[in-house]
């Protein structure tokens, strides 16, 4: 921590000076998560927080689509992205034309897009979802056929949980979670018996089927906090276990894990630079933002 202390102090001083808040996703490194974030959480919690905070500036410690979501929900605020290159394989997998193509393929079916999408894709969709409310949002649609984009695996996991709907999907995937195979989990159980296996729903359904629990990043934290298993393997991004290990000394977090190269682009140095120079301001075209806001707001209203 000693090497981080000067950055943490400088960032926290600048936050006060600029009336800024830092929203940190659960995949941030511990020095960002514990050192400088004012609010931490999963994608849904951070989106809701963006509608509630009273600061003039939001620094989004997460990936670009999260910063866009904050800007869409709080257009009057300055939203800073410490590294504009912090993208997401899911957000990059589909454009608004992809949504139009799905609508042509399934006429009349509503489009539920994961928040891991650009503002243009959100604007072209009917409603958004996150991993913590996807099943609930799909179940609430009037139509029997529901289009889910862009995460094929989240969609397949939802299709299993909401059998009354005909869920169809776009073929995107998360480069962190698609790497796991069901054999990895079986091998791990054999090698380290008694370990609780906890998977994010961006993992393929056959991986989720081998796990003891599946949920969003906040769902995973809640599960481990409530259950306090002796040993836990989090089948998700590496920082998750690092961020909660100190609060749960009774749980032994065991590896391996996969790193998200996009999330890891956010560093204390870049956060300090962004706040100091006010660079990395995220802008969303007003017309696109207005349509995208409707999709995100519909999701938030259904999730409360
Ligand atoms: P949640 O935090 O909503 O579970 O999302 C995980 C993720 O991959 C965000 O990029
Ligand atoms: Fe995108 Fe996956 Fe990284 Fe999340 S973990 S930002 S879904 S690539």
């Amino acid at each position: 921590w000693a090497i981080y202390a000067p950055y943490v102090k400088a960032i926290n001083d600048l936050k006060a000076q600029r009336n800024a808040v830092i929203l940190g996703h659960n995949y941030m490194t511990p020095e960002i998560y514990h050192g400088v974030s004012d609010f931490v959480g999963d994608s849904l919690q951070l989106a809701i927080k963006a509608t509630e905070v009273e600061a003039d500036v939001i620094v989004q410690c997460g990936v670009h689509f999260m910063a866009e979501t904050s800007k869409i929900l709080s257009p009057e605020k300055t939203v800073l992205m410490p590294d504009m290159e912090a993208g997401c394989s899911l957000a990059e997998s589909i454009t608004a034309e992809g949504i139009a193509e799905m609508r042509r393929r399934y006429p009349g079916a509503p489009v539920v897009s994961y928040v891991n999408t650009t503002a243009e894709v959100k604007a072209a969709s009917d409603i958004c979802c996150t991993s913590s409310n996807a099943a609930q949002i799909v179940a609430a649609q009037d139509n029997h056929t529901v289009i889910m984009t862009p995460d094929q695996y989240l969609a397949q996991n939802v299709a299993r949980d909401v059998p009354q709907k005909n869920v169809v999907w776009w073929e995107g995937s998360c480069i962190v979670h698609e790497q796991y195979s069901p054999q990895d989990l079986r091998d791990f159980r054999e090698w380290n018996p008694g370990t609780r296996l906890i998977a994010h729903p961006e993992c393929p359904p056959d991986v989720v089927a081998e796990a003891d629990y599946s949920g969003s990043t906040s769902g995973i934290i809640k599960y481990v906090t409530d259950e306090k298993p002796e040993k836990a393997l989090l089948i998700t991004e590496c920082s998750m276990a690092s961020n909660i290990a100190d609060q749960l000394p009774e749980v032994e977090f065991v590896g391996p894990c996969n790193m998200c190269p996009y999330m890891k682009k956010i560093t204390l140095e870049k956060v300090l630079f962004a706040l100091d120079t006010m660079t990395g301001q995220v802008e969303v075209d007003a017309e696109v933002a207005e349509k995208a806001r409707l999709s995100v707001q519909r999701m938030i209203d259904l999730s409360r």
Side-chain angles (χ1 to χ4, degrees):
W1 276 99
I3 56 161
Y4 300 128
Y7 289 100
V8 169
K9 180 169 181 341
I11 290 167
N12 287 332
D13 287 350
L14 267 174
K15 270 194 320 198
Q17 217 174 298
R18 304 234 187 265
N19 190 23
V21 295
I22 296 189
L23 303 185
H25 186 262
N26 290 328
Y27 290 162
M28 287 295 101
T29 52
E31 65 275 14
I32 291 176
Y33 187 90
H34 293 292
V36 298
S37 296
D38 297 286
F39 302 100
V40 290
D42 68 9
S43 312
L44 179 63
Q45 291 168 325
L46 296 185
I48 292 175
K49 206 32 98 178
T51 66
E52 296 171 349
V53 291
E54 287 192 352
D56 296 319
V57 179
I58 293 177
V59 185
Q60 197 82 34
C61 287
V63 290
H64 191 267
F65 75 80
M66 295 177 178
E68 268 193 346
T69 305
S70 291
K71 185 68 186 175
I72 288 163
L73 293 169
S74 293
E76 72 294 349
K77 294 192 176 74
T78 300
V79 177
L80 298 180
M81 190 62 211
D83 187 331
M84 288 290 186
E85 309 259 287
C88 169
S89 64
L90 282 167
E92 283 154 24
S93 73
I94 189 163
T95 61
E97 176 45 34
I99 301 291
E101 186 189 320
M102 291 301 273
R103 287 196 194 276
R104 283 193 294 272
R105 243 190 270 170
Y106 303 99
V111 177
V112 178
S113 283
Y114 202 24
V115 283
N116 299 37
T117 44
T118 61
E120 285 78 12
V121 168
K122 288 182 176 77
S125 306
D126 295 300
I127 187 166
C128 287
C129 74
T130 72
S131 54
S132 60
N133 60 20
Q136 186 193 350
I137 302 280
V138 168
Q141 301 308 303
D142 290 334
N143 219 65
H144 177 57
T145 296
V146 179
I147 299 166
M148 282 191 80
T149 76
D151 188 343
Q152 60 184 309
Y153 299 129
L154 179 71
Q156 288 161 23
N157 286 316
V158 168
R160 180 202 54 231
D161 294 342
V162 189
Q164 69 274 27
K165 295 290 179 194
N166 172 36
V167 179
V168 294
W169 52 80
W170 186 256
E171 303 256 314
S173 55
C174 161
I175 53 166
V176 172
H177 296 96
E178 72 177 353
Q179 290 180 49
Y180 293 100
S181 77
Q183 191 58 46
D184 291 340
L185 274 67
R186 287 193 288 270
D187 288 347
F188 196 85
R189 268 196 209 284
E190 209 180 299
W191 174 56
N192 207 335
T195 302
R196 210 75 68 87
L197 304 184
I198 302 158
H200 193 276
E202 287 169 12
C203 293
D206 52 0
V207 170
V208 170
E210 290 290 339
D212 298 296
Y213 171 81
S214 172
S216 72
T217 55
S218 63
I220 291 174
I221 295 174
K222 185 172 183 326
Y223 177 84
V224 183
T225 307
D226 291 350
E227 295 276 315
K228 293 193 177 54
E230 225 173 275
K231 286 183 282 182
L233 172 63
L234 306 190
I235 299 153
T236 187
E237 215 276 341
C238 295
S239 290
M240 277 285 298
S242 320
N243 286 335
I244 58 176
D246 282 357
Q247 293 140 245
L248 294 163
E250 56 278 76
V251 182
E252 185 193 345
F253 290 95
V254 292
C257 57
N258 286 332
M259 199 92 94
C260 174
Y262 303 108
M263 290 278 182
K264 295 290 123 53
K265 283 191 179 288
I266 308 301
T267 63
L268 280 181
E269 290 90 331
K270 289 178 191 171
V271 174
L272 179 57
F273 183 79
L275 258 177
D276 188 31
T277 59
M278 295 298 283
T279 47
Q281 298 193 14
V282 174
E283 300 297 343
V284 181
D285 171 81
E287 209 178 306
V288 172
E290 187 47 35
K291 287 190 191 144
R293 193 184 58 74
L294 289 175
S295 293
V296 179
Q297 196 59 51
R298 282 187 197 115
M299 166 190 82
I300 291 177
D301 293 345
L302 258 180
S303 310
R304 284 198 200 271

